[in-house]
């Protein structure tokens, strides 16, 4: 079976009603890739703007925070995605980042933890 069919099976198996993709607005290339992949599997899809710690070329991490700026922004991005899913009551949903290939998901009956 093609990857597209496996992805549809996977999402149907888990009853996914919505896909949210965390992505930096400035990464039009990644957004275009995700749009094509989401269209291929016919599941509602929305982009969520990732927190960008490199705004205006400066580190946006507050002084004294012991996390790397990227970790902090990833945390805030995922927290924001979960809050949006809760607000919209779109469970079960799939929240991804913009580098996930939605068509190349494992089959739902295969083990996700080994061969």
């Amino acid at each position: 079976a093609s990857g597209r069919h496996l992805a549809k099976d996977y999402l149907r198996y888990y009853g996914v009603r919505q896909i949210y993709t965390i992505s930096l607005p400035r990464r039009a290339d990644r957004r275009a890739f995700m749009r094509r992949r989401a269209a291929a599997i016919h599941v509602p899809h929305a982009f969520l703007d990732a927190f960008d710690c490199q705004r205006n070329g400066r580190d946006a991490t507050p002084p004294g925070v012991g996390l790397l700026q990227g970790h902090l922004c990833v945390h805030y991005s995922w927290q924001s995605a979960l809050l949006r899913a809760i607000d919209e009551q779109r469970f079960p949903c799939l929240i991804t980042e913009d580098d996930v290939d939605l068509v190349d998901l494992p089959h739902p009956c295969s083990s996700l933890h080994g061969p």
Side-chain angles (χ1 to χ4, degrees), residues 52-111:
D52 192 348
C53 285
Q54 291 296 319
R55 279 179 264 149
N56 302 321
R58 293 192 313 254
D59 181 355
T61 307
V65 174
L67 295 171
L68 296 173
Q69 68 181 12
H71 294 129
L72 189 62
C73 286
V74 167
H75 169 81
Y76 286 139
S77 296
W78 277 91
Q79 183 179 27
S80 176
L82 289 170
L83 290 173
R84 173 135 172 220
I86 291 167
D87 285 346
E88 294 181 358
Q89 294 294 302
R90 299 295 296 176
F91 292 106
C93 66
L94 176 65
I95 301 174
T96 71
E97 293 185 12
D98 61 7
D99 57 354
V100 170
D101 189 344
L102 295 172
V103 173
D104 194 22
L105 296 171
H107 193 278
C109 296
S110 67
S111 170

Side-chain angles (χ1 to χ4, degrees), residues 3-21 33-47 88 90-96 102-103 105:
R4 179 173 40 245
H5 292 114
L6 290 179
K8 285 181 184 178
D9 290 347
Y10 180 91
L11 297 172
R12 189 177 307 115
Y13 179 83
Y14 289 105
V16 172
R17 297 174 54 209
Q18 176 77 40
I19 298 171
Y20 296 102
T21 299
F33 172 78
M34 293 302 289
R35 269 190 208 95
R36 286 191 305 273
R37 292 310 215 187
I41 56 176
H42 308 289
V43 174
H45 177 258
F47 286 104
E88 294 181 358
R90 299 295 296 176
F91 292 106
C93 66
L94 176 65
I95 301 174
T96 71
L102 295 172
V103 173
L105 296 171

